[in-house]
């Protein structure tokens, strides 16, 4: 159970992230979470949106460098120690988290090399993975 | 012991050596007379021994007998780099290879290398020219001179070596690399003169400082720089930090190598041309018409006694201006302003020639890049730095910094292999490089020399 992440290559310059967001706004794509990281020269912005396929198409048509990929989405309880509990499962299975970021409220997206292996690792743990369809109606309470 | 460089007004030039005062300080009339006699002889020699020139001169309707005054040099056709490429490797040689005692070649960053050969007499002239510029900086037979250029095909290493030998100085042929060892050798052997590129001299300076080496107390007194232009700011910094006096010289493989002109201590932004060996002209780069003294234009050089590979009216594409006013150092040989600009699109990056077309060729061979690029050159941190902005195609994007950094490194490696210069590569998003109408402006040279 993984979800689609939409990543865009952008130069680390003012206005460049906005241009991507303008495309989303114009076409009513709802951004449910995002992360921006950069090397000082260029950056990769990763989005979790309600309609990833349409988002990718739209960005491609506008000439953006876009790539979709699969990430895990875990729902965390709003308790102290919860993030540690979840990440420790990955550590215990020797799974490296390449990056992770939080979505709206208490949802975090995590990128790992081998999604299936990570999914198996989480299977028996008390962790709620979020399905693609649920992204549209995330419970933000 | 090393002392900071005094300002020119405080230097007693009568105490500084002049290698060939008879020539270097002779009257302008005598210099011109030497030049004319040699020019007539050289044009005859070249016409007789190099079929390529015979054809060119015949086609231009000029015969060696038409050269009667120095002004008549204008009747001769120009030569440029393409002549050496067309005739690669030995087509312009005027003597059988048996008479060549040494060959050198340029790095050949665009196509074939430029190959040159020297006869015994050419080597004699070359070492004499180097001896002159070394003495302009104060080098004498008492000096211990450490070579930090690489030897090899590059003209700088051997050229300077022979010139120092000629003066009677002791050569320490350390060669390039192993900076700590260079510093150890300066300490162990009491080196007084360092031959290096300015950027490598800075490296030696910094490593020495890190090792706790006391430059002020060291035996080192003089830096002879070459291989790349030396920005005045960098020179001043090296002089202050290493407590030495630094000069640099001008030359190009096609007409000889280093030593065409050299800096004296009276005018640090100018270099005395070895006029008895090189006839200089400054021409309008567009029309080829000669310009007057003091006017900025393209330097054109005719070596006056080269036997191995004579060239007539070689277009350097270097912009300069020349004055024949006598110099405070006592020399009367003309002075050219140090070259900072070119009249073609060639860039000199830390001494290496780079053409934007080479960058274009490399980039067009890399999948995942659009044909758009932009070159920025600056020297904000003292040394030349070339940044190449390249534009990725959408499909080249991989959602991983590791993958993108690998891609960036691949582009850097390919550029370095072709250019012999390591650029800073910046990946730009599709459409990220400004499109210009007509001839795209590919180069932004932001270097400052003040």
């Amino acid at each position: 159970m993984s979800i689609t992440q939409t990543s865009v290559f952008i130069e680390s310059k003012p206005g460049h992230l906005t241009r991507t967001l303008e495309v989303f706004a114009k076409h009513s794509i709802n951004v449910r979470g995002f992360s921006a990281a950069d090397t000082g020269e260029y950056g990769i912005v990763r989005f979790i949106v309600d309609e990833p396929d349409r988002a990718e198409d739209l960005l491609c048509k506008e000439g953006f460098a876009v790539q979709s990929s699969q990430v895990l989405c875990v729902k965390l309880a709003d308790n102290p120690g919860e993030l540690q509990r979840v990440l420790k499962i990955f550590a215990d299975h020797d799974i490296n988290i390449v990056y992770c970021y939080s979505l709206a409220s208490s949802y975090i997206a995590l990128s790992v090399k081998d999604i299936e292996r990570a999914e198996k690792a989480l299977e028996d743990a008390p962790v709620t993975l979020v399905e693609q369809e649920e992204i549209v109606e995330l419970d933000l309470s | 012991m090393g002392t900071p460089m005094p300002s020119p007004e405080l230097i007693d030039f009568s105490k500084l050596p002049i290698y060939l005062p008879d020539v270097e300080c002779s009257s302008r009339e005598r210099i011109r007379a030497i030049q004319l006699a040699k020019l007539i002889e050289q044009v005859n020699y070249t016409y007789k021994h190099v079929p390529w020139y015979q054809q060119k001169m015949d086609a231009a309707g000029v015969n060696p007998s038409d050269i009667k005054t120095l002004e008549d040099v204008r009747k001769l056709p120009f030569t440029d780099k393409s002549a050496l490429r067309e005739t690669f490797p030995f087509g312009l040689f005027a003597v059988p290879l048996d008479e060549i005692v040494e060959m050198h070649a340029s790095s050949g960053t665009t196509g074939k290398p430029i190959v040159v050969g020297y006869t015994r007499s050419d080597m004699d002239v070359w070492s004499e020219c180097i001896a002159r510029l070394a003495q302009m900086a104060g080098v004498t037979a008492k000096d211990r001179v450490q070579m930090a250029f690489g030897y090899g095909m590059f003209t700088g290493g051997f050229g300077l070596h022979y010139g120092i030998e000629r003066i009677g100085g002791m050569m320490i042929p350390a060669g390039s690399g192993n900076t700590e060892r260079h510093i150890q050798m300066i300490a162990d052997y009491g080196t007084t003169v360092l031959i290096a590129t300015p950027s490598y001299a800075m490296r030696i300076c910094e490593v020495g400082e890190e090792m706790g080496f006391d430059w002020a107390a060291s035996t080192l007194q003089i830096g002879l720089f070459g291989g790349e232009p030396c920005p005045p700011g960098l020179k001043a910094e090296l002089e202050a930090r290493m407590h030495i006096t630094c000069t640099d010289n001008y030359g190009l493989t096609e007409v000889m190598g280093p030593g065409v002109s050299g800096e004296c201590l009276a005018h640090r932004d100018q270099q005395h041309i070895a006029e008895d060996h090189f006839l200089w002209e400054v021409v309008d780069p567009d029309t080829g018409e000669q310009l007057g003294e003091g006017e900025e234009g393209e330097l054109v050089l005719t070596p006056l006694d080269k036997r191995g590979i004579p060239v007539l009216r070689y277009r350097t594409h270097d912009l300069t201006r020349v004055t024949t006013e006598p110099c405070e150092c006592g020399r009367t040989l003309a002075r050219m302003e140090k070259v900072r600009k070119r009249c073609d699109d060639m860039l000199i990056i830390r001494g290496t020639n780079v053409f934007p077309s080479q960058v274009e060729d490399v980039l067009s061979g890399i999948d995942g890049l659009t044909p758009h690029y932009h070159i920025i050159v600056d020297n904000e941190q003292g040394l030349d730095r070339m940044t190449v902005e390249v534009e990725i195609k959408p499909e080249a994007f991989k959602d991983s910094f590791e993958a993108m950094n690998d891609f960036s490194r691949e582009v850097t490696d390919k550029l370095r292999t072709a250019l012999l210069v390591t650029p800073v590569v910046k990946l730009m998003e599709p459409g990220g490089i400004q499109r210009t109408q007509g001839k795209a402006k590919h180069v932004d040279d932001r270097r400052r020399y003040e």
Side-chain angles (χ1 to χ4, degrees), chain B residues 103-155:
Chain B
M103 70 169 280
H104 283 280
S106 74
S107 52
T109 49
T110 47
K112 294 281 188 194
I114 297 296
V115 175
V116 293
Y118 305 77
T119 64
R120 188 76 66 197
S121 73
D122 291 337
M123 295 306 290
D124 195 47
V125 170
W126 194 13
S127 61
E128 182 199 300
C129 289
I130 300 293
R132 291 186 197 185
L133 68 91
Q135 296 232 305
M136 284 181 209
V139 179
T140 69
K142 293 186 178 133
D143 279 299
R144 304 170 190 182
V145 185
Q146 190 163 318
M147 174 65 73
F149 282 159
Y151 284 90
M153 299 308 283
F154 160 62
T155 50

Coordinates of all heavy atoms in Angstrom, one line a residue, chain B residues 103-155:
Chain B
M103 N 60.9 19.1 -29.8 CA 59.5 19.6 -30.2 C 58.7 19.8 -29.0 O 58.9 19.2 -27.9 CB 58.9 18.5 -31.1 CG 58.5 17.2 -30.5 SD 57.5 16.2 -31.7 CE 55.9 17.0 -31.5
H104 N 57.6 20.6 -29.2 CA 56.7 20.9 -28.1 C 55.3 20.9 -28.8 O 55.2 21.0 -30.0 CB 56.9 22.2 -27.4 CG 58.1 22.0 -26.4 ND1 57.9 21.5 -25.1 CD2 59.4 22.3 -26.5 CE1 59.0 21.5 -24.5 NE2 60.0 22.0 -25.3
A105 N 54.3 20.9 -28.0 CA 52.9 20.9 -28.6 C 52.0 21.6 -27.6 O 52.2 21.5 -26.4 CB 52.4 19.5 -28.9
S106 N 51.0 22.3 -28.1 CA 50.0 22.8 -27.2 C 49.0 21.7 -26.8 O 49.0 20.6 -27.4 CB 49.2 23.9 -27.9 OG 48.3 23.3 -28.9
S107 N 48.1 22.0 -25.9 CA 47.3 20.9 -25.4 C 46.3 20.4 -26.4 O 45.8 19.3 -26.3 CB 46.5 21.5 -24.1 OG 45.9 22.7 -24.5
G108 N 46.0 21.2 -27.4 CA 45.1 20.7 -28.5 C 43.7 20.5 -28.0 O 43.1 19.5 -28.3
T109 N 43.2 21.5 -27.3 CA 41.8 21.4 -26.8 C 40.8 21.5 -28.0 O 39.7 21.1 -27.8 CB 41.5 22.5 -25.8 OG1 42.0 23.8 -26.2 CG2 42.3 22.2 -24.5
T110 N 41.2 22.1 -29.1 CA 40.3 22.1 -30.2 C 40.9 21.3 -31.3 O 41.8 21.8 -32.0 CB 39.9 23.5 -30.8 OG1 41.2 24.2 -30.9 CG2 39.0 24.3 -29.8
G111 N 40.5 20.1 -31.5 CA 41.1 19.3 -32.6 C 42.5 18.9 -32.3 O 42.9 18.6 -31.2
K112 N 43.3 19.0 -33.3 CA 44.7 18.5 -33.3 C 45.5 19.5 -32.4 O 45.3 20.7 -32.4 CB 45.3 18.5 -34.7 CG 44.7 17.4 -35.5 CD 45.2 16.0 -35.2 CE 44.7 15.0 -36.2 NZ 44.9 13.7 -35.7
P113 N 46.6 19.0 -31.8 CA 47.5 19.9 -31.1 C 48.2 20.8 -32.1 O 48.3 20.5 -33.3 CB 48.4 19.0 -30.3 CG 48.1 17.6 -30.7 CD 47.0 17.6 -31.7
I114 N 48.8 21.9 -31.6 CA 49.7 22.7 -32.3 C 51.1 22.2 -32.1 O 51.5 22.2 -30.9 CB 49.6 24.2 -31.9 CG1 48.2 24.8 -32.1 CG2 50.7 25.1 -32.5 CD1 47.8 24.8 -33.5
V115 N 51.7 21.7 -33.1 CA 53.1 21.1 -33.0 C 54.1 22.1 -33.4 O 54.0 22.7 -34.5 CB 53.2 19.8 -33.8 CG1 54.6 19.2 -33.7 CG2 52.1 18.8 -33.3
V116 N 55.2 22.3 -32.6 CA 56.3 23.2 -33.0 C 57.6 22.5 -32.8 O 57.7 21.6 -31.9 CB 56.3 24.5 -32.3 CG1 55.0 25.3 -32.7 CG2 56.3 24.3 -30.8
G117 N 58.6 22.8 -33.6 CA 59.9 22.2 -33.5 C 61.0 23.3 -33.4 O 60.8 24.4 -34.1
Y118 N 62.0 23.0 -32.7 CA 63.1 24.0 -32.5 C 64.4 23.5 -33.0 O 64.8 22.3 -32.7 CB 63.2 24.4 -31.0 CG 62.0 24.9 -30.4 CD1 61.0 24.0 -30.0 CD2 61.8 26.2 -30.1 CE1 59.8 24.4 -29.4 CE2 60.6 26.7 -29.5 CZ 59.6 25.7 -29.1 OH 58.5 26.2 -28.5
T119 N 65.1 24.3 -33.8 CA 66.5 23.9 -34.2 C 67.4 24.3 -33.0 O 67.0 25.0 -32.1 CB 66.9 24.7 -35.4 OG1 67.0 26.1 -35.1 CG2 66.0 24.4 -36.6
R120 N 68.7 24.0 -33.1 CA 69.6 24.4 -32.1 C 69.6 25.9 -32.0 O 69.6 26.5 -30.9 CB 71.0 23.9 -32.6 CG 72.1 24.1 -31.5 CD 72.1 23.2 -30.4 NE 72.4 21.8 -30.8 CZ 72.1 20.7 -30.0 NH1 71.6 20.9 -28.9 NH2 72.4 19.5 -30.5
S121 N 69.6 26.7 -33.1 CA 69.6 28.1 -33.0 C 68.3 28.7 -32.4 O 68.3 29.7 -31.7 CB 69.9 28.8 -34.4 OG 68.8 28.7 -35.2
D122 N 67.2 28.0 -32.7 CA 65.9 28.4 -32.1 C 66.0 28.3 -30.5 O 65.5 29.1 -29.8 CB 64.7 27.5 -32.6 CG 64.4 27.8 -34.0 OD1 64.7 28.9 -34.5 OD2 63.8 26.9 -34.7
M123 N 66.6 27.2 -30.1 CA 66.7 27.0 -28.6 C 67.6 28.0 -28.0 O 67.3 28.5 -26.9 CB 67.3 25.6 -28.3 CG 66.5 24.4 -28.8 SD 64.8 24.4 -28.1 CE 65.1 24.1 -26.4
D124 N 68.6 28.5 -28.8 CA 69.5 29.5 -28.3 C 68.7 30.8 -28.1 O 68.8 31.5 -27.1 CB 70.6 29.7 -29.4 CG 71.7 30.4 -28.9 OD1 72.2 30.1 -27.7 OD2 72.2 31.4 -29.6
V125 N 67.9 31.2 -29.1 CA 67.1 32.4 -29.1 C 66.1 32.3 -27.9 O 65.9 33.2 -27.1 CB 66.3 32.6 -30.4 CG1 65.3 33.8 -30.2 CG2 67.2 33.0 -31.5
W126 N 65.5 31.1 -27.8 CA 64.5 31.0 -26.7 C 65.1 31.1 -25.3 O 64.6 31.9 -24.5 CB 63.8 29.6 -26.9 CG 62.6 29.3 -26.1 CD1 61.8 30.3 -25.5 CD2 61.9 28.1 -25.9 NE1 60.7 29.7 -24.9 CE2 60.8 28.4 -25.1 CE3 62.2 26.8 -26.2 CZ2 59.9 27.3 -24.7 CZ3 61.4 25.8 -25.8 CH2 60.2 26.0 -25.1
S127 N 66.2 30.5 -25.1 CA 66.8 30.6 -23.8 C 67.3 32.0 -23.5 O 67.2 32.5 -22.4 CB 67.9 29.6 -23.6 OG 68.9 29.8 -24.5
E128 N 67.7 32.7 -24.6 CA 68.1 34.1 -24.4 C 66.9 34.9 -24.0 O 67.1 35.8 -23.1 CB 68.7 34.6 -25.7 CG 69.2 36.0 -25.6 CD 69.4 36.6 -27.0 OE1 70.2 36.1 -27.8 OE2 68.7 37.6 -27.3
C129 N 65.8 34.7 -24.6 CA 64.6 35.5 -24.3 C 64.2 35.3 -22.8 O 63.8 36.2 -22.1 CB 63.4 35.1 -25.2 SG 63.6 35.7 -26.9
I130 N 64.3 34.0 -22.4 CA 63.9 33.7 -21.0 C 64.9 34.3 -20.0 O 64.6 34.8 -19.0 CB 63.9 32.1 -20.8 CG1 62.8 31.5 -21.7 CG2 63.6 31.8 -19.3 CD1 61.4 31.8 -21.4
A131 N 66.2 34.3 -20.4 CA 67.2 34.8 -19.6 C 66.9 36.3 -19.4 O 67.1 36.9 -18.3 CB 68.6 34.7 -20.2
R132 N 66.5 37.0 -20.4 CA 66.2 38.4 -20.3 C 65.1 38.7 -19.3 O 65.2 39.5 -18.4 CB 65.7 39.0 -21.6 CG 66.7 39.1 -22.7 CD 66.1 39.7 -23.9 NE 66.9 39.5 -25.1 CZ 66.7 40.1 -26.3 NH1 65.6 40.9 -26.4 NH2 67.4 39.8 -27.3
L133 N 64.0 37.9 -19.4 CA 62.8 38.2 -18.5 C 63.1 37.8 -17.1 O 62.6 38.4 -16.1 CB 61.5 37.6 -19.0 CG 61.4 36.0 -19.0 CD1 60.8 35.6 -17.7 CD2 60.5 35.6 -20.2
A134 N 64.0 36.7 -16.9 CA 64.4 36.3 -15.6 C 65.2 37.5 -14.9 O 65.0 37.8 -13.7 CB 65.2 35.0 -15.6
Q135 N 66.1 38.1 -15.7 CA 66.9 39.2 -15.2 C 66.1 40.4 -14.9 O 66.4 41.2 -14.0 CB 68.1 39.5 -16.1 CG 69.0 38.3 -16.2 CD 70.5 38.6 -15.9 OE1 71.0 39.4 -16.5 NE2 71.0 37.9 -14.9
M136 N 65.0 40.6 -15.7 CA 64.1 41.7 -15.4 C 63.6 41.7 -14.0 O 63.3 42.7 -13.3 CB 62.9 41.8 -16.4 CG 63.3 42.2 -17.8 SD 61.8 42.2 -18.8 CE 62.5 42.0 -20.5
A137 N 63.4 40.4 -13.5 CA 62.8 40.2 -12.2 C 64.0 40.2 -11.1 O 63.7 40.1 -9.9 CB 62.1 38.9 -12.1
G138 N 65.2 40.2 -11.6 CA 66.4 40.3 -10.7 C 67.1 38.9 -10.5 O 68.0 38.8 -9.7
V139 N 66.8 37.9 -11.3 CA 67.4 36.6 -11.2 C 68.9 36.7 -11.7 O 69.1 37.3 -12.7 CB 66.6 35.5 -12.0 CG1 67.3 34.2 -11.8 CG2 65.2 35.4 -11.5
T140 N 69.8 36.1 -11.0 CA 71.2 36.1 -11.4 C 71.7 34.7 -11.2 O 71.0 33.8 -10.8 CB 72.1 37.0 -10.5 OG1 72.2 36.4 -9.2 CG2 71.5 38.4 -10.4
A141 N 73.0 34.5 -11.6 CA 73.7 33.2 -11.5 C 73.7 32.7 -10.1 O 73.9 31.5 -9.9 CB 75.1 33.4 -12.0
K142 N 73.6 33.6 -9.1 CA 73.6 33.1 -7.7 C 72.3 32.4 -7.3 O 72.3 31.8 -6.2 CB 73.9 34.3 -6.8 CG 75.2 34.9 -7.0 CD 75.5 36.0 -5.9 CE 76.9 36.6 -6.1 NZ 76.9 38.0 -6.1
D143 N 71.3 32.5 -8.1 CA 70.0 32.1 -7.6 C 69.8 30.5 -7.7 O 70.4 29.9 -8.6 CB 68.9 32.8 -8.4 CG 68.6 34.1 -7.8 OD1 68.2 34.2 -6.6 OD2 68.8 35.1 -8.5
R144 N 69.0 30.0 -6.8 CA 68.6 28.6 -6.8 C 67.1 28.6 -7.2 O 66.3 29.1 -6.5 CB 68.8 28.0 -5.5 CG 70.2 28.2 -5.0 CD 70.3 27.8 -3.5 NE 71.6 28.2 -3.0 CZ 72.1 28.0 -1.8 NH1 71.3 27.4 -0.9 NH2 73.3 28.4 -1.4
V145 N 66.9 28.0 -8.4 CA 65.6 28.2 -9.0 C 64.8 26.9 -9.0 O 65.2 25.9 -9.7 CB 65.7 28.8 -10.4 CG1 64.4 29.1 -11.0 CG2 66.6 30.0 -10.4
Q146 N 63.7 26.9 -8.4 CA 62.9 25.7 -8.2 C 61.7 25.7 -9.2 O 60.9 26.6 -9.2 CB 62.3 25.6 -6.8 CG 61.7 24.3 -6.5 CD 61.6 24.1 -5.0 OE1 62.5 24.5 -4.2 NE2 60.4 23.6 -4.5
M147 N 61.7 24.7 -10.0 CA 60.6 24.6 -11.1 C 59.4 23.9 -10.5 O 59.5 22.7 -10.1 CB 61.2 23.8 -12.3 CG 60.2 23.5 -13.4 SD 59.6 24.9 -14.2 CE 61.0 25.4 -15.2
A148 N 58.3 24.6 -10.6 CA 57.0 24.0 -10.1 C 56.0 23.9 -11.3 O 54.8 23.6 -11.1 CB 56.4 24.7 -9.0
F149 N 56.5 24.2 -12.5 CA 55.7 23.8 -13.7 C 55.9 22.3 -14.0 O 57.0 21.8 -13.6 CB 56.3 24.5 -15.0 CG 55.9 25.9 -15.2 CD1 56.7 26.7 -16.0 CD2 54.8 26.5 -14.6 CE1 56.4 28.1 -16.2 CE2 54.5 27.9 -14.8 CZ 55.3 28.6 -15.6
G150 N 55.0 21.7 -14.7 CA 55.2 20.4 -15.2 C 56.2 20.5 -16.4 O 56.2 21.5 -17.1
Y151 N 57.0 19.5 -16.6 CA 57.8 19.6 -17.8 C 56.9 19.0 -18.9 O 55.8 19.5 -19.0 CB 59.1 18.8 -17.6 CG 60.2 19.5 -16.8 CD1 60.2 19.4 -15.4 CD2 61.1 20.4 -17.4 CE1 61.1 20.2 -14.6 CE2 62.0 21.1 -16.6 CZ 62.0 21.0 -15.3 OH 62.9 21.7 -14.5
G152 N 57.3 18.2 -19.8 CA 56.4 17.6 -20.8 C 56.3 18.5 -22.0 O 57.1 19.4 -22.3
M153 N 55.2 18.3 -22.8 CA 55.0 18.9 -24.1 C 54.8 20.5 -24.0 O 55.0 21.2 -24.9 CB 53.9 18.3 -24.9 CG 54.0 16.8 -25.1 SD 55.6 16.4 -25.9 CE 55.2 17.0 -27.6
F154 N 54.2 20.9 -22.9 CA 54.0 22.3 -22.6 C 55.3 23.0 -22.7 O 56.3 22.6 -22.2 CB 53.4 22.3 -21.2 CG 53.4 23.6 -20.4 CD1 52.8 24.7 -20.9 CD2 54.1 23.7 -19.2 CE1 52.8 25.9 -20.2 CE2 54.1 24.9 -18.5 CZ 53.4 26.0 -19.0
T155 N 55.3 24.2 -23.3 CA 56.6 24.9 -23.5 C 57.1 25.6 -22.3 O 58.3 25.9 -22.2 CB 56.3 26.1 -24.6 OG1 55.2 26.8 -24.2 CG2 56.1 25.5 -26.0

